[in-house]
Amino acid sequence: MPVLQPPDPQPRLPARFAGETTVAGGTARARAKDQSQALAQDADATPWLGLLPPLGAALYPLPLAVFHAHVEAARAGGILDTAIATASLSVAFLIPLLALLAVARLLRGTPVTTGQLRARRVALLAVSAPACFVVVGVFSYVAGVSDWDRWLLAVFWASMAVYVARGDRARPLAPTAAGTIPGWLPRAHGAAALAFILMFLAWHLGNHLLGLLGDELHRSVMHTLRHVYRSPWVEPVVLGLGAFLVVSGLTLAWRASRRQGDFLRALQLSAGVYLAVALPSHVNSVLYFARSFLRIESDWDFAVGAPTGLIGDPWNIRLVPYYALAVAAVITHAFCGLRMVLVAHGVSDTTGRRLVAAGTGLAVVVATAIMFGMCGLRL
Ligand code: HEM
C-alpha cells in the first residue's frame, strides 16, 4: 500500500483538539509531514475495520429477537434462559459501543483518501443502530409493513458496507475547505444546547427519574411541566432549538470527521450523531406517531409500552437500548462540549479529561436509573 501524502499544504498535527493546530516553521513542518505519513499508514493498516460497524448494525435486531425468545422462560426462573437473555441484551448494547471503538480507531489516522473518510462516517452512523431500528420500526408500522423493518435495515447497512468497501483507498482527498469549521458554529451549537437543556431537557430527564418513585408521581409532574413546555410560546422554541442542534451538529460532525481525533473526539462525535438520529425519531414518535397516528396520550404508558411493557414485548424491547443510549449520549455529549469550552478558557487538559470521565459515569448512572424505573423498579 503506497504511503499517501495528505493534500493539506500544512499537514495537521494531533493536538489537544486534534486538527485545530497548524504548524509554522520548516523543521516543525517536516516533523508534521513524517507524523502525517505515519498516521496515513496507521489508517491504511485496517482497511477491514470500516466494514465491521455497518455489518454489526445490520445484525443489531438479532440479539433483541433472541432476548425476546428467552425472556418469558427467564422470568419463570430458567437459569439457562436467564443467561441467554442477559447475554443477548448485552450484545445489543455492545454493537453500538464497538462501533464507537471503531470510530476511535478510524479517527486516529489522517483521512487522506475518500475510502478512509467513508469508513469514518459510516462507522459514526452505525453507532446510532439502536435509533435507526426505532425509526425504521415506526415507519414500517405506519406503512403497514411492520415485519419488514429488520430486512429494510439489513439492506441499508449492507449497502453502507458496500459503499465503504468500494471507497477509493488510493486517491487522496482533493484539497478543500470542507474540514474547516467556522468559529461561530460551535459557539451557536453550544448556546442552543444550553438553552435546550435549561428550558426543557433537565426537567424532562428529571421527570423520567421520578418514575423510580412511582408512575403516578411521574404523571402528575409531567402534567405540571406540560403547562410550560407545551405552551404556544415555549414548545416552538424547544422544537426549533432541537432542530437547530440536529442540523448544526450534523454539519460539525461532517466537517470534523475529516480531521484526526482522539478517543474523546470519537466519543463526542458518536454521541452527537446518535442524538441527531434519536432526537428527530423521538419527536416524530411523540408528536406524530402517538398524538396523530395512534391518537393516544404521549404519557408514561406510551413511553413504557403499556400494557405489555418494555421487556415482554417483541417490538418494545428495542426501546430499552434506544432510550438508555439516548440519555447516556445526551449527558456525555454535553460534558464533552463543556470540556472544550473550559480548556479553551485555560482549564488544564487533565481536568478536562477527568470532567468527561465523571460526566460519562453520571450519564451511565442516570440512564440506568431511568431505565430501571421504566422497567418497573420502584424505590
Ligand atoms: C428515557 C428517555 C426518554 C423518554 C422515556 C422520553 C419520553 C418522552 C415522552 C413521553 C414525551 C411526551 C411528553 C408529553 O406528552 O408531554 C417526550 C417528549 C419529548 N422528548 Fe423525550 N424522552 C426521553 C428522552 C429524551 C431525550 C434524551 C431528549 C432530547 C435529547 C428528549 C426530547 C424530547 C422532546 C424534544 C420532546 C417533545 C416535547 C414537546 O414539545 O411536547 N427526550 N419524551
Side-chain angles (χ1 to χ4, degrees), residues 196 200-201 204-205 208 218 222 226 229-230 235-236 238-239 242 275 278-279 282-283 286-287 291 297-300 302-304 319 322-324 326-328 330 367 370-371 374:
F196 185 76
F200 174 76
L201 194 63
H204 190 52
L205 296 186
H208 290 319
H218 175 280
M222 183 185 263
R226 275 179 179 175
Y229 68 74
R230 277 211 197 170
E235 190 169 44
V238 168
L239 296 177
L275 291 170
L279 184 56
H282 184 54
V283 170
V286 169
L287 299 191
R291 295 186 201 164
E297 259 279 29
S298 52
D299 59 2
W300 175 261
F302 168 70
V304 302
L319 297 174
Y322 163 72
Y323 281 144
V327 174
V330 82
I370 289 178
M371 292 324 296
M374 292 181 73

Side-chain angles (χ1 to χ4, degrees), residues 13-19 39 103-111 120 256-266 269:
L13 280 174
R16 217 164 26 182
F17 299 124
L39 288 168
V103 171
R105 181 68 180 82
L106 289 162
L107 278 185
R108 265 164 54 179
T110 304
R120 285 174 173 198
S257 61
R258 294 180 79 101
R259 299 171 169 196
Q260 187 263 338
D262 61 7
F263 180 77
L264 291 190
R265 176 61 105 192
L269 291 181

Side-chain angles (χ1 to χ4, degrees), residues 19-52:
E20 284 164 24
T21 310
T22 38
V23 180
T27 319
R29 210 172 284 137
R31 220 181 304 125
K33 195 171 166 185
D34 286 350
Q35 211 158 351
S36 273
Q37 284 179 344
L39 288 168
Q41 273 176 323
D42 187 43
D44 262 350
T46 51
W48 48 268
L49 185 64
L51 297 178
L52 296 185

Side-chain angles (χ1 to χ4, degrees), residues 80-147:
L80 183 62
D81 292 291
T82 306
I84 295 175
T86 310
S88 49
L89 192 57
S90 308
V91 171
F93 276 93
L94 267 180
I95 288 173
L97 295 180
L98 289 175
L100 161 65
L101 292 183
V103 171
R105 181 68 180 82
L106 289 162
L107 278 185
R108 265 164 54 179
T110 304
V112 292
T113 67
T114 50
Q116 287 162 5
L117 189 59
R118 279 184 186 192
R120 285 174 173 198
R121 287 176 174 165
V122 170
L124 273 169
L125 187 61
V127 175
S128 69
C132 292
F133 191 30
V134 172
V135 174
V136 176
V138 168
F139 279 107
S140 47
Y141 186 91
V142 169
V145 287
S146 203
D147 291 344

Side-chain angles (χ1 to χ4, degrees), residues 5 83 285:
Q5 301 296 325
S285 295

